[in-house]
Amino acid sequence: MENKYTAEDFSNGVKGRWCAGCGDFGLHAAFKKALAEIGTAPYNTEIITGIGCSSRMAYHMGGYCFHTIHGRAIAVASGAKIAKPNLDVWTVTGDGDCMAIGGNHFIHALRRNVDINIILLNNRIYGLTKG
């Protein structure tokens, strides 16, 4: 069976706004391609992000996207999945957003075994990347 969705079905046409040479451009392209290969429908996909460079993904994706406050992406994603179990819920988060201020939400989502997908983009800086 051939997938009926393409990577472009998960794009909203907005060009990525990351620094030149940033790996997030490649991750963005790979994420759209993976969603298409999985076969999930854009109208059944929710992408929830927090704060930081990784979390700009919500601005560049098609489907339902929600940009939360710092460290709360996994908590919001858990709530979305509980409220609408049929949604394919994805969280895109960075190391500071997920492992520091959002660390407890990450641990408790694992403990509760909530059916969400977490993509952690670790730039190994854990801090502002300005300058």
Side-chain angles (χ1 to χ4, degrees):
M1 184 173 116
E2 190 173 323
N3 291 334
K4 59 183 178 178
Y5 299 108
T6 67
E8 288 309 306
D9 292 325
F10 293 93
S11 178
N12 64 5
V14 176
K15 186 176 185 267
R17 293 190 59 196
W18 293 290
C19 298
C22 178
D24 288 357
F25 288 105
L27 292 165
H28 177 242
F31 185 36
K32 292 188 303 183
K33 184 178 177 186
L35 288 172
E37 288 180 9
I38 289 169
T40 185
Y43 60 82
N44 200 42
T45 302
E46 177 142 16
I47 301 161
I48 300 172
T49 63
I51 296 295
C53 293
S54 64
S55 297
R56 289 183 180 197
M57 202 75 67
Y59 297 127
H60 312 305
M61 298 290 293
Y64 298 108
C65 297
F66 189 77
H67 193 189
T68 66
I69 60 175
H70 196 212
R72 305 303 181 248
I74 294 173
V76 172
S78 297
K81 186 63 176 186
I82 291 166
K84 291 282 272 187
N86 62 320
L87 285 178
D88 191 13
V89 179
W90 293 80
T91 301
V92 181
T93 184
D95 53 338
D97 189 42
C98 180
M99 308 305 331
I101 193 167
N104 281 335
H105 298 299
F106 178 70
I107 291 167
H108 290 299
L110 295 176
R111 182 178 62 81
R112 292 182 183 113
N113 199 22
V114 181
D115 186 21
I116 60 174
N117 304 286
I118 301 170
I119 298 176
L120 173 61
L121 306 180
N122 184 359
N123 63 6
R124 298 182 183 167
I125 294 173
Y126 179 59
L128 295 174
T129 55
K130 313 268 189 269

